Amino acid sequence: PIKSYCALDGFYEMYDTIGSGGFAKVKLGVHCLTGEKVAIKIMDKKQLGDDLPRIRLEIEAMKSLSHQNVCKLFQVIETDAKIFMILEYCPDGELFDYIVERDRLTEDEARHFFRQIVAAVAYIHHKGFAHRDLKPENLLLDDDQQLKLIDFGLCAKPKGGMNSHLETCCGSPAYAAPELISGKCYLGSEADIWSMGVLLYALLCGYLPFDDDNIAVLYRKIQSGMYEKPEWLSESSMEMLDQLLQVDPKRRITVAQLLHHPWVTKDCNPSYNVQWESIYQTKELDDECVTEMAVSIGKSRKAMHAILSDWSYDYNTATYLLLWKRKQLSKSVRLMRDQQSIP
Ligand SMILES: CN(C)C[C@H]1CC[C@H](N2C(=O)NCc3cnc4ccc(-c5cc(Cl)c(O)c(Cl)c5)cc4c32)CC1
């Protein structure tokens, strides 16, 4: 491990930089008590400047999100100069690179991924958030082909709930909905649906439905809603794309309709339809994990349970969540015991 920041000493081992996201550096880390890999997003408060409120918003959003297709936040560490976000590590990188390596995906493979994207978006909408920057670069792969949605820096939690309008024009132009780029008021949920249409097109075709180096030409193409349909697309895929890429947001399919759409649920046994509910019922804590932590830290189970129930996103929260994640993967629910000094 490299010399880490003193704020992490003893809690995380720090390894090299694995990527960068805008004004953040992302390093590989290891959580000492569990030995689990994590991604550590490091931001310098001075460099953030007036972007600092966006980070606070991203952190608060991620604290309230706990879903199998949303990148999990484990801990937040703040010093005078830095903010560290300890995040779920996704070893197989961006969906973007996965598509590029294969040119394009088969319809079945695209469906496998799109189902997870619908699940993640249905879940965050249910929690009152619109993502507003859905694109393959913000969908990461963990080590069993599970997608994890990242980067909630642009997400919005409209004051009046998901049926109230937003104004800010944001996100990546090629994925932006017509109503968003024409400066009209728009619904975050409807704009996310459009972006999912652009995403599905990228999965099925390997390139973008609306593209141009000149931003004004790009905007006209988006507002026309006209896009090329290559001959390898099936009838059902074209129909699915048409329902997502509707220029009029009121004619666009909704997330609720998507969850039961035949293209999305094809070959799905009825029990396994789109898992938009979270498999993590974060209400009650897992006894086995609480007990293991209590023993390891030398506290009573009751005291440990009380500490964890605060969800303060400190090292205890991270340890619990990582232990729980190990349990989901039926790995051992054991912590590193500090080396018993040989008497
Ligand atoms: C739009 N792109 C440029 C953004 C890049 C950012 C770095 C990513 N990344 C790697 O570069 N190597 C591997 C890797 C592994 N696990 C990760 C886990 C979480 C995050 C993460 C999560 C959130 Cl919520 C967030 O806001 C940010 Cl910035 C990063 C990044 C990881 C990662 C790839 C996408």
Side-chain angles (χ1 to χ4, degrees):
I2 58 170
K3 171 91 191 77
S4 81
Y5 298 85
C6 54
L8 305 175
D9 258 355
F11 300 112
Y12 297 93
E13 285 169 3
M14 184 89 85
Y15 293 87
D16 41 359
T17 299
I18 51 177
S20 61
F23 36 72
K25 209 171 19 180
V26 181
K27 286 182 179 283
L28 174 64
V30 172
H31 176 265
C32 296
L33 264 186
T34 58
E36 289 290 310
K37 287 192 178 112
V38 293
I40 303 180
K41 181 177 177 181
I42 307 167
M43 291 155 283
D44 181 289
K45 283 184 189 172
K46 274 195 301 305
Q47 277 175 12
L48 281 176
D50 48 17
D51 268 320
L52 191 52
R54 253 184 61 181
I55 295 303
R56 301 260 182 245
L57 184 128
E58 178 181 20
I59 290 171
E60 285 321 303
M62 294 197 77
K63 282 182 179 179
S64 64
L65 297 173
S66 179
H67 185 275
Q68 53 279 15
N69 295 119
V70 175
C71 183
K72 190 68 196 117
L73 173 69
F74 296 128
Q75 182 176 358
V76 181
I77 302 169
E78 186 165 347
T79 63
D80 304 355
K82 304 271 182 193
I83 295 180
F84 302 87
M85 290 170 69
I86 312 296
L87 295 149
E88 184 173 12
Y89 177 62
C90 307
D92 292 354
E94 295 179 9
L95 177 62
F96 179 86
D97 298 322
Y98 187 90
I99 301 168
V100 167
E101 274 151 34
R102 289 155 181 75
D103 277 343
R104 64 174 192 265
L105 308 186
T106 63
E107 184 175 316
D108 285 346
E109 202 173 19
R111 177 176 295 107
H112 163 74
F113 286 125
F114 192 66
R115 244 205 287 274
Q116 298 179 50
I117 297 166
V118 172
V121 174
Y123 172 75
I124 66 170
H125 285 186
H126 171 68
K127 300 290 274 186
F129 293 96
H131 188 275
R132 297 200 299 178
D133 196 14
L134 294 172
K135 55 187 180 181
E137 298 89 325
N138 282 340
L139 285 154
L140 304 187
L141 285 153
D142 72 0
D143 47 10
D144 62 344
Q145 296 266 317
Q146 285 300 301
L147 281 180
K148 306 281 178 182
L149 180 57
I150 68 161
D151 207 343
F152 290 82
L154 284 175
C155 80
K157 180 165 198 169
K159 302 263 173 308
M162 288 303 279
N163 294 324
S164 69
H165 287 78
L166 299 161
E167 283 93 36
T168 337
C169 176
C170 58
S172 313
Y175 293 83
E179 68 272 15
L180 194 145
I181 57 179
S182 54
K184 289 183 204 138
C185 282
Y186 63 92
L187 282 183
S189 51
E190 293 172 345
D192 278 350
I193 296 279
W194 174 276
S195 303
M196 286 205 283
V198 177
L199 244 168
L200 179 58
Y201 188 97
L203 290 170
L204 288 166
C205 304
Y207 51 85
L208 294 169
F210 313 104
D211 204 356
D212 201 287
D213 297 337
N214 176 308
I215 194 92
V217 174
L218 170 62
Y219 280 2
R220 269 202 301 281
K221 288 180 179 175
I222 293 171
Q223 280 157 339
S224 78
M226 311 286 286
Y227 55 92
E228 179 216 327
K229 292 185 172 104
E231 90 279 354
W232 60 76
L233 288 180
S234 70
E235 276 305 308
S236 62
S237 292
M238 285 196 264
E239 190 229 335
M240 180 77 265
L241 287 166
D242 279 343
Q243 291 178 292
L244 291 159
L245 296 172
Q246 277 293 319
V247 171
D248 176 357
K250 297 308 164 209
R251 293 164 49 91
R252 208 171 293 157
I253 193 170
T254 66
V255 172
Q257 292 162 334
L258 254 188
L259 286 168
H260 308 290
H261 191 283
W263 191 93
V264 175
T265 58
K266 185 166 181 278
D267 310 332
C268 240
N269 53 34
S271 70
Y272 171 72
N273 53 25
V274 181
Q275 297 217 339
W276 71 274
E277 274 109 344
S278 167
I279 58 172
Y280 309 124
Q281 56 285 42
T282 43
K283 259 90 62 200
E284 63 281 354
L285 296 168
D286 175 279
D287 253 354
E288 188 182 7
C289 297
V290 174
T291 306
E292 174 58 20
M293 287 182 68
V295 168
S296 155
I297 299 178
K299 284 189 183 302
S300 74
R301 281 180 41 192
K302 197 164 168 298
M304 196 72 246
H305 192 279
I307 290 170
L308 291 169
S309 303
D310 287 343
W311 291 104
S312 41
Y313 280 84
D314 59 4
Y315 197 62
N316 286 316
T317 301
T319 305
Y320 172 80
L321 287 171
L322 284 162
L323 261 184
W324 204 80
K325 182 175 173 173
R326 287 174 70 88
K327 185 168 181 176
Q328 299 317 302
L329 301 172
S330 52
K331 287 159 78 176
S332 81
V333 178
R334 283 289 166 275
L335 293 172
M336 310 284 184
R337 297 301 163 106
D338 41 10
Q339 317 314 324
Q340 310 299 344
S341 50
I342 316 288

